[in-house]
Amino acid sequence: MPLIVGLTGQSGAGKSTASSIFRRLGAYVIDCDEIARNVTSDNSRCNKELSRYFPDCFDEDLHLDRKKMADIIFSDDEKLKTQNAIIFKYITAEIDEILDACCQDYVILDAPTLFQSGLDKRCVAIAGVLSDTAKRFERIKARDSLSDKSISLRFSSQQDDEFFQKNCDIVIYNNSSLDELEVNVKKALEKIEEIVNGKKPKEKN
C-alpha cells in the first residue's frame, strides 16, 4: 500500500489549485471532495443515513441539497460533528479501496477535513495551504456567491493559521500570483519526496 501525504487547508486558501498543480507535476492525487460527492449521490447509503438526522436537506429521491446542509452545519457545531461522523466513514472506505488498488510509492490525499476525519494519523507528512483571510474571503465570495455572514460562519468553523502551522510538516502560502503558487508547490513536492524516500523500506539486494 502506498504511503499517504495529506494536503489540506482553509476554505479559499487555494488548496484545490495547489492540488491540480501537484497532479500536473506528476503526483498521484486522491480528491476527497470528489469522493464526498460520490458517497452523497442520490439515494446512496450515506444519504439514507444522513436523511435520518437532516430530513429537510433531502427530497423524496434522497437528493442532497448541499447549500441547505452547509447553512445548517456551519451554524451549529454539534450538527457539523454529526454530519462529519456519518460521512467520514463512507469516504474513508472508498479511500481504502483506492489505496488497495494503487501501485504508487505514495499518494497525495487532498482532504479539506483531514484532521477532523482522523486521516491525518495515517499520513507520513502533511502539507497545508494557507492564505490571508481577506484573500480567502474574496475568493469564496467570487466562487460561491455566498453572503458575508455565510462566509464568516464557515471560517469560524475551521482551524486558524496557527493550527496549520503547528500541525503541518510543510506550509504552502498562496498570497500572490498563480506563478508564485506553482513555485511554492514545486518546493513542497521536493520536500514531500525527501520525506517519502526516507520512509520507504530499503530494497533488498
Side-chain angles (χ1 to χ4, degrees):
M1 186 174 288
L3 299 174
I4 302 173
V5 176
L7 176 65
T8 192
Q10 304 150 314
S11 292
K15 178 186 60 60
S16 295
T17 305
S19 178
S20 67
I21 296 172
F22 274 117
R23 189 179 282 109
R24 181 157 47 81
L25 293 173
Y28 187 96
V29 179
I30 298 175
D31 185 346
C32 288
D33 278 341
E34 183 179 344
I35 292 174
R37 288 190 291 272
N38 289 342
V39 302
T40 55
S41 59
D42 293 359
N43 205 36
S44 65
R45 286 189 300 143
C46 182
N47 281 11
K48 288 176 182 176
E49 189 169 350
L50 284 170
S51 67
R52 295 201 291 270
Y53 296 89
F54 305 96
D56 293 340
C57 296
F58 295 89
D59 61 17
E60 60 185 10
D61 297 318
L62 283 182
H63 171 78
L64 172 61
D65 185 327
R66 298 180 191 279
K67 185 178 184 307
K68 190 176 288 187
M69 177 70 85
D71 288 343
I72 292 172
I73 64 175
F74 289 127
S75 60
D76 187 320
D77 287 345
E78 287 305 313
K79 289 180 179 177
L80 176 60
K81 289 176 184 177
T82 298
Q83 188 252 22
N84 284 345
I86 294 169
I87 198 171
F88 286 159
K89 62 186 176 185
Y90 292 97
I91 291 173
T92 301
E94 189 158 327
I95 289 170
D96 285 338
E97 288 183 12
I98 295 171
L99 292 174
D100 284 342
C102 183
C103 300
Q104 306 292 324
D105 287 335
Y106 73 95
V107 301
I108 291 180
L109 187 64
D110 177 354
T113 53
L114 183 77
F115 293 102
Q116 297 92 321
S117 66
L119 287 167
D120 60 298
K121 297 176 178 63
R122 298 173 61 179
C123 297
V124 297
I126 298 172
V129 183
L130 298 183
S131 184
D132 292 342
T133 301
K135 289 185 180 295
R136 293 168 51 219
F137 202 98
E138 289 171 8
R139 290 171 187 147
I140 293 178
K141 186 95 171 174
R143 184 188 70 194
D144 299 335
S145 301
L146 295 175
S147 68
D148 291 359
K149 181 180 179 182
S150 294
I151 296 172
S152 296
L153 283 171
R154 182 174 295 191
F155 283 5
S156 68
S157 73
Q158 298 177 348
Q159 302 287 358
D160 59 16
D161 285 9
E162 185 178 353
F163 173 87
F164 288 99
Q165 290 161 348
K166 180 180 178 181
N167 290 282
C168 294
D169 304 282
I170 301 161
V171 176
I172 302 168
Y173 289 101
N174 180 29
N175 287 317
S176 184
S177 65
L178 183 60
D179 287 342
E180 184 170 327
L181 176 61
E182 181 155 355
V183 169
N184 292 340
V185 170
K186 285 180 179 177
K187 290 178 181 177
L189 185 58
E190 290 174 0
K191 292 180 182 177
I192 287 168
E193 292 183 343
E194 285 178 9
I195 293 170
V196 167
N197 288 332
K199 296 285 186 179
K200 283 193 304 185
K202 297 278 191 297
E203 292 185 6
K204 294 180 180 179
N205 295 327

